[in-house]
Amino acid sequence: MSPLRMLHSSSPEETRAAGFKLAADLSPGSVVALFGRLGAGKTVFVQGLASGLGIPEGWAKSPTFTLVRFYPSDPPFFHIDLYRIERPAAEELGWEEWEEGVAAIEWAEKMEGLLPPGTVRVTLEARGEKEREIKIESDDDA
Amino acid sequence: MLILGIESSCDETAVALWGEEEGEVISLVSSQVDLHSRYGGVVPELASRRHLETLAPLLEEALKQAGRSLSDVGAVAVTQGPGLVGALLVGMESAKAISLARNLPLLGVNHLAGHVYGAFLEHPMALPALALIVSGGHTELVLLDQKERFTSLGSTRDDAAGETLDKVARFIGLPYPGGPQVQKQAESGNRSYHHFPVGEMENPLDFSFSGLKTAVITFVEKSRAGGVEPPLADLCASFQEAVVEALVSKTQRALRVTQARNLIVCGGVAANRRLRERMAELALAKGVNLLIPSARLCTDNALMISRAGWSLYQQGRTIGLSDDVDPNLSLFDA
């Protein structure tokens, strides 16, 4: 995986497509950490990612309330949202479980320092109403 | 027969005693909102610990206030999911302990079914019914048929309505929980200050609130960039109207599709006065029977769990000590 990719998105559809494309680079144990303010498109990106993992369109929705949503895809997919959490208690989120699948974590800055090596970092930044800059980084050395 | 209800799926710890003949005997709710408002949201570790500390004394207090004892109880109903796993476990383990010690039937209630059945606490049960379940975690249109089976008609594709209210409220600087704060501000505001569009989905009964959230944020930022601070009351009124309009128009569509003559509106957001007003207008115009619980029964409580448990009991659908909580429990599996 390239250490740094900069994408430009001019619509939620393009953001979703960027997520879809990233799915091909992921395997069991992959962690995708998403950064970006409210409304930046994190959930939209993850919805694309979920489609890329074979999860039917429309299944993935915001896990803000439940904190974690699990999808029995292959590999299994865990969609995590730390918005409502101040400081995550990993044992309660089921951290060990995620390792068997792909995990996407929204508001990942709240668990900075707890993210495993090799985490794929996706930063979404608004450039106007619809335009978004998407930065994809991996702290993988390989 | 009295049913002890226990609810601990999210922010509220609640216990209740309810019987088909007696109706409500007691209902106590201990909210963690004060605790969580300091953190701007739920802290799961704190939530579970608080449930654990609260539940036993709350139950004792409920029995004392009602002048009853556990020997008056005929069954135990407990929220099995969906919710936070640690929080759910506190309720479930307590319910199992009581069930085991007193040899009482154990009833595992889906939290969302609880909200729907909560509408039958103050109104006679009327089926089939279309139900809009609208809260911080859910926005669902479901049909409850005469056999008391749920069918999904539509749901949110991204954010729940209450979640959108909370997130936008936080963005504009209102305290947690945001829904009631938006309502308060909206009361003195101009609903047509700005028209915020709500997304249309492929399934016309599905909801999408994520675009609305972004639209409000973008509008505020644009205004500020132009040196204009949008008046808070007007902003809240316009935003709330967009949320309510989406809920009402989809519900109206679902009434047409299902031809249902009974309409239930439930969940925390059903406490919103503007939504209640608009739903009352809709029901009147369409001549349907509207069942909205009073505001105190819209938010999480254990009476609704007792009431839903009663229906499970009548259908012989008890659970055992080996059954567990399910944070993703679906309403449509049964």
Side-chain angles (χ1 to χ4, degrees):
Chain A
M1 186 185 303
S2 51
L4 180 76
R5 222 185 293 161
M6 286 290 281
L7 301 167
H8 181 83
S9 163
S10 50
S11 67
E13 289 68 37
E14 285 186 37
T15 302
R16 195 171 278 121
F20 186 94
K21 220 173 132 218
L22 178 65
D25 298 335
L26 305 174
S27 53
S30 294
V31 173
V32 179
L34 292 112
F35 304 87
R37 55 143 228 207
L38 216 51
K42 297 182 294 300
T43 301
V44 169
F45 187 93
V46 175
Q47 285 175 333
L49 188 76
S51 298
L53 293 170
I55 293 157
E57 194 88 25
W59 277 29
K61 48 190 83 169
S62 168
T64 293
F65 173 79
T66 43
L67 306 177
V68 182
R69 277 184 198 268
F70 165 71
Y71 300 90
S73 46
D74 183 23
F77 180 54
F78 298 87
H79 184 185
I80 299 122
D81 186 332
L82 303 179
Y83 177 80
R84 269 158 59 91
I85 301 186
E86 201 55 32
R87 182 178 47 82
E91 69 276 11
E92 255 185 297
L93 293 171
W95 182 247
E96 311 82 39
E97 255 185 291
W98 309 348
E99 290 172 4
E100 295 161 23
V102 169
I105 307 168
E106 296 192 41
W107 300 97
E109 55 269 41
K110 298 195 177 185
M111 58 185 296
E112 199 63 84
L114 292 171
L115 293 166
T119 294
V120 179
R121 294 168 168 270
V122 178
T123 309
L124 295 110
E125 239 179 283
R127 296 267 183 274
E129 206 162 327
K130 295 257 158 83
E131 316 273 304
R132 298 288 186 270
E133 288 291 334
I134 307 173
K135 188 166 70 175
I136 302 179
E137 299 164 284
S138 166
D139 34 53
D140 233 350
D141 290 329
Chain B
M1 185 184 83
L2 274 190
I3 298 184
L4 169 64
I6 298 176
E7 155 68 32
S8 68
S9 65
C10 192
D11 300 3
E12 267 75 45
T13 319
V15 299
L17 286 172
W18 178 91
E20 197 203 11
E21 280 162 24
E22 292 182 71
E24 173 178 352
V25 174
I26 187 130
S27 173
L28 296 183
V29 179
S30 168
S31 176
Q32 302 195 357
V33 165
D34 290 347
L35 176 73
H36 294 309
S37 61
R38 270 184 268 144
Y39 295 90
V42 172
V43 186
E45 208 181 38
L46 280 183
S48 308
R49 203 181 308 144
R50 184 56 75 89
H51 283 302
L52 197 60
E53 287 166 1
T54 308
L55 188 52
L58 197 67
L59 174 59
E60 230 169 273
E61 179 64 26
L63 291 169
K64 200 174 111 192
Q65 279 188 27
R68 305 293 176 104
S69 78
L70 280 178
S71 45
D72 300 323
V73 171
V76 184
V78 63
T79 306
Q80 194 171 8
L84 308 177
V85 65
L88 288 165
L89 276 169
V90 173
M92 180 58 84
E93 293 313 309
S94 308
K96 281 180 179 173
I98 295 166
S99 154
L100 185 67
R102 297 274 161 175
N103 195 24
L104 295 173
L106 185 61
L107 305 156
V109 175
N110 182 303
H111 181 79
L112 298 180
H115 277 298
V116 174
Y117 279 90
F120 306 137
L121 287 164
E122 300 161 309
H123 308 268
M125 190 164 177
L127 298 176
L130 171 71
L132 172 70
I133 310 165
V134 59
S135 67
H138 305 276
T139 307
E140 308 265 348
L141 273 168
V142 303
L143 189 72
L144 181 61
D145 67 20
Q146 257 135 341
K147 289 181 179 156
E148 299 187 43
R149 301 276 162 168
F150 287 97
T151 309
S152 174
L153 300 170
S155 80
T156 182
R157 286 309 175 104
D158 37 61
D159 296 358
E163 173 185 350
T164 309
L165 285 164
D166 267 350
K167 284 184 170 171
V168 168
R170 187 152 148 188
F171 172 77
I172 56 183
L174 296 173
Y176 175 90
Q181 297 287 336
V182 169
Q183 168 178 290
K184 205 170 137 196
Q185 292 295 334
E187 262 157 26
S188 57
N190 173 9
R191 291 195 288 265
S192 35
Y193 164 69
H194 186 83
H195 176 74
F196 291 112
V198 179
E200 272 302 323
M201 308 307 290
E202 211 171 299
N203 169 3
L205 297 181
D206 277 344
F207 301 87
S208 170
F209 290 105
S210 153
L212 172 63
K213 175 184 70 189
T214 309
V216 177
I217 291 170
T218 310
F219 175 77
V220 171
E221 286 184 339
K222 252 192 192 162
S223 306
R224 284 179 185 163
V228 180
E229 183 64 32
L232 190 57
D234 294 344
L235 183 68
C236 286
S238 302
F239 163 55
Q240 176 179 270
E241 199 62 14
V243 174
V244 168
E245 175 57 33
L247 295 171
V248 171
S249 65
K250 304 275 171 169
T251 303
Q252 182 169 356
R253 216 172 279 175
L255 279 175
R256 198 163 56 223
V257 172
T258 59
Q259 295 290 309
R261 305 310 297 159
N262 302 295
L263 171 62
I264 294 168
V265 183
C266 59
V269 179
N272 181 283
R273 281 192 284 273
R274 181 63 183 152
L275 180 64
R276 297 172 81 90
E277 194 178 292
R278 291 284 310 272
M279 286 296 183
E281 287 167 13
L282 174 66
L284 193 65
K286 302 292 164 195
V288 303
N289 173 29
L290 179 65
L291 300 85
I292 302 190
S294 41
R296 76 174 182 110
L297 296 176
C298 286
T299 46
D300 289 353
N301 65 84
L303 267 185
M304 66 184 202
I305 303 303
S306 293
R307 177 59 188 84
W310 168 242
S311 274
L312 292 173
Y313 180 80
Q314 285 176 303
Q315 297 165 41
R317 290 162 67 187
T318 57
I319 60 169
L321 295 176
S322 57
D323 287 300
D324 219 337
V325 299
D326 181 353
N328 297 318
L329 189 64
S330 164
L331 198 52
F332 313 111
D333 284 346

